[in-house]
Amino acid sequence: MSKRILYIDLAPHPGGSIISLARLLQGLDRTRWRPMVALSRQNEFTGFKNMGVPVVRVRTPQWEKRTAGPVDAIRQGKAGESARKTPGVSRLWHLAGTLRYWRRDIWPVANALLPVIAEYDPALVHLNDSLPLVRHGVLAAWRARRPVLVHSRSLVAPSAYDRLLLAPRLSGMIFISQAVAQHQLQRLGAPPPYRVIPNAVDLERFATPVDRAAVRKALGVPLDAPLIGVIGRIVPWKGQRVFIEAFARLRQRRPDAVAAIVGAPDSGRGEQYRRELQHLARVLGVENSLLWLGRRSDIPQLLASFDILAHCSVEPEPFGRVIIEGMAAGTPVIASDAGGAREIVENEINGLLTPPGDAQALAAAMQRLLEDHRLRTNLQENARSSATQRYNLAAHVNAVTSFYEDILGG
Ligand code: UDP
């Protein structure tokens, strides 16, 4: 008999986490597992419905009012965390802030999840991000007495109450990279059973031949112009600033080069950052050779039209799914040498690594890749075989479902 799994992802905007979850569900053997997904009302992601997976929308009233989503709020230290870090603030004040945060942000969302759990009656609740971002789900599953698994996809530090109150309630944890595993485990004390399972890429979708000339034409980029792209949400830590600085350096040597920035801001801060980037491009004199493509759904086609995919995050990336997509598409990748990216890319073997934030090194790597055809071909071949061997969907789904079986007892 098939087992029901309730997946919960209440992030307000679609990002790599939800795309990775969609890949997992795409590969699930539906005769054995019956998925249902709970999404926040604002998240416009439609991938699950297209796969025939039922979706229930859940209200997240506090997060809906904010310009920054819960991830941003926690990154900025605004979600019941700030007082702890501010010297001189009394313990009482901190306790009051923590209680207010639980009452306003966590408890109502957990309440909204309870009827969903009751109606769907899942064998397992699978929460699609790191513990500090899914407290509502742990609370709801615990109150409903369901086994709960946390799929840790972010480098957001667990707090003392995550360690003491929530972690002991978990039946299991999945970490998407060693970087995330080390980061979370060292803060969790005695963790529940866990696995490190990297994200996977849909190889067929990315390896399907693309009419490069047609894509270039639609972009208005000559077929023989070097085209370098960066793909990701427009937020400061994704490092589009470094990308523009490196591109401006490259243009001094390669005046025919064109750059493409793919992605959209997902918060008010992101909008402001985009304006800063547009100003920077004007100051550096590259605004006319820089394409702002916004959020796109044709990533495989865009990748096939790029000569290089640059990944420029200035903070450690939990994983960096865009890197495995570039590798699967056969687009040479330059990635920031930190976090999950460093686990995916073996420097000079299946891609190039440059120090995070170093525009000069990034420009030099771009130029090298454009000029050295042998290097390009080697990296492309090795990258494709890494994508096939290490990031294939079937192995990923197997690893996750065999963990489900362990948790649920066969
Ligand atoms: N992506 C997309 N359209 C865009 C920008 C990004 O579909 O305009 C996808 C991209 O292909 C990748 C994901 O969003 O699958 C980003 O994942 P990654 O791990 O690189 O970054 P995250 O958003 O999780 O920090």
Side-chain angles (χ1 to χ4, degrees):
M1 218 184 67
S2 60
K3 292 200 167 114
R4 293 172 196 219
I5 313 286
L6 175 63
Y7 296 86
I8 300 178
D9 185 324
L10 300 185
H13 305 283
S17 299
I18 209 162
I19 294 173
S20 295
L21 179 64
R23 294 290 77 80
L24 169 66
L25 268 54
Q26 177 190 339
L28 272 189
D29 177 353
R30 301 281 183 89
T31 61
R32 295 179 55 216
W33 309 102
R34 275 173 61 193
M36 178 163 104
V37 184
L39 293 185
S40 81
R41 290 216 307 211
Q42 310 103 292
N43 196 326
E44 73 268 25
F45 190 77
T46 53
F48 301 112
K49 275 201 177 136
N50 300 341
M51 290 170 353
V53 173
V55 170
V56 60
R57 296 280 171 176
V58 176
R59 279 213 66 193
T60 51
Q62 289 310 318
W63 301 337
E64 280 164 27
K65 279 191 228 139
R66 289 196 190 121
T67 50
V71 181
D72 289 333
I74 289 180
R75 268 184 191 278
Q76 292 159 13
K78 285 185 188 152
E81 314 267 312
S82 54
R84 181 165 48 86
K85 289 178 186 149
T86 313
V89 176
S90 75
R91 280 175 165 229
L92 206 60
W93 184 251
H94 172 236
L95 187 66
T98 303
L99 289 175
R100 199 169 50 242
Y101 158 70
W102 276 82
R103 187 169 48 78
R104 276 197 334 209
D105 287 22
I106 303 301
W107 199 261
V109 181
N111 281 345
L113 286 169
L114 281 176
V116 177
I117 298 177
E119 195 176 329
Y120 191 60
D121 192 21
L124 177 73
V125 176
H126 181 138
L127 304 175
N128 196 43
D129 216 326
S130 294
L131 188 51
L133 301 174
V134 298
R135 290 165 182 152
H136 48 271
V138 180
L139 191 60
W142 176 41
R143 285 168 65 193
R145 297 196 167 77
R146 300 299 153 130
V148 58
L149 180 153
V150 164
H151 201 146
S152 308
R153 298 184 178 278
S154 301
L155 292 163
V156 177
S159 65
Y161 49 81
D162 290 322
R163 185 176 72 244
L164 300 172
L165 294 178
L166 301 186
R169 321 261 162 236
L170 305 181
S171 303
M173 298 182 90
I174 295 176
F175 301 107
I176 58 171
S177 62
Q178 294 292 348
V180 174
Q182 281 166 19
H183 177 268
Q184 300 283 295
L185 289 173
Q186 76 191 23
R187 291 168 174 85
L188 282 179
Y194 67 85
R195 305 266 196 285
V196 179
I197 305 176
N199 290 329
V201 64
D202 177 357
L203 291 164
E204 268 174 40
R205 183 164 172 251
F206 283 87
T208 306
V210 168
D211 183 348
R212 192 176 149 94
V215 182
R216 288 274 185 132
K217 196 170 166 207
L219 295 176
V221 178
L223 202 48
D224 57 353
L227 176 58
I228 299 148
V230 64
I231 300 176
R233 288 172 292 131
I234 300 192
V235 284
W237 74 273
K238 286 287 182 185
Q240 287 93 348
R241 168 178 291 277
V242 184
F243 177 72
I244 294 174
E245 286 168 357
F247 175 62
R249 284 172 181 272
L250 177 76
R251 285 271 301 180
Q252 290 166 6
R253 305 272 173 116
R254 298 294 302 253
D256 57 339
V258 178
I261 297 189
V262 182
D266 68 0
S267 63
R269 174 70 188 100
E271 287 289 353
Q272 186 193 330
Y273 179 56
R274 175 164 56 185
R275 286 193 293 275
E276 289 164 15
L277 293 175
Q278 284 165 338
H279 177 71
L280 177 69
R282 273 195 301 279
V283 169
L284 295 177
V286 294
E287 79 268 40
N288 293 332
S289 45
L290 184 61
L291 305 173
W292 294 88
L293 300 184
R295 186 167 173 81
R296 304 278 295 223
S297 54
D298 56 347
I299 300 298
Q301 286 71 22
L302 290 174
L303 280 169
S305 78
F306 294 170
D307 294 297
I308 297 172
L309 171 71
H311 163 270
C312 319
S313 295
V314 291
E315 285 179 26
E317 187 78 56
F319 183 82
R321 61 167 302 115
V322 75
I323 301 170
I324 58 172
E325 293 172 351
M327 289 164 74
T331 311
V333 179
I334 306 172
S336 280
D337 189 7
R342 173 187 276 174
E343 293 165 41
I344 302 170
V345 174
E346 291 167 78
N347 193 28
E348 308 271 337
I349 308 285
N350 58 8
L352 296 181
L353 290 170
T354 55
D358 188 339
Q360 194 176 349
L362 181 57
M366 287 173 177
Q367 191 184 348
R368 191 174 156 217
L369 261 183
L370 291 176
E371 284 168 3
D372 188 340
H373 280 273
R374 232 171 86 182
L375 176 67
R376 287 177 63 82
T377 318
N378 281 344
L379 297 186
Q380 281 169 312
E381 277 172 16
N382 292 336
R384 276 212 171 100
S385 79
S386 298
T388 315
Q389 283 161 25
R390 304 209 306 244
Y391 304 107
N392 77 76
L393 193 53
H396 176 79
V397 173
N398 256 334
V400 174
T401 52
S402 72
F403 194 29
Y404 288 169
E405 278 158 5
D406 288 353
I407 290 172
L408 298 173

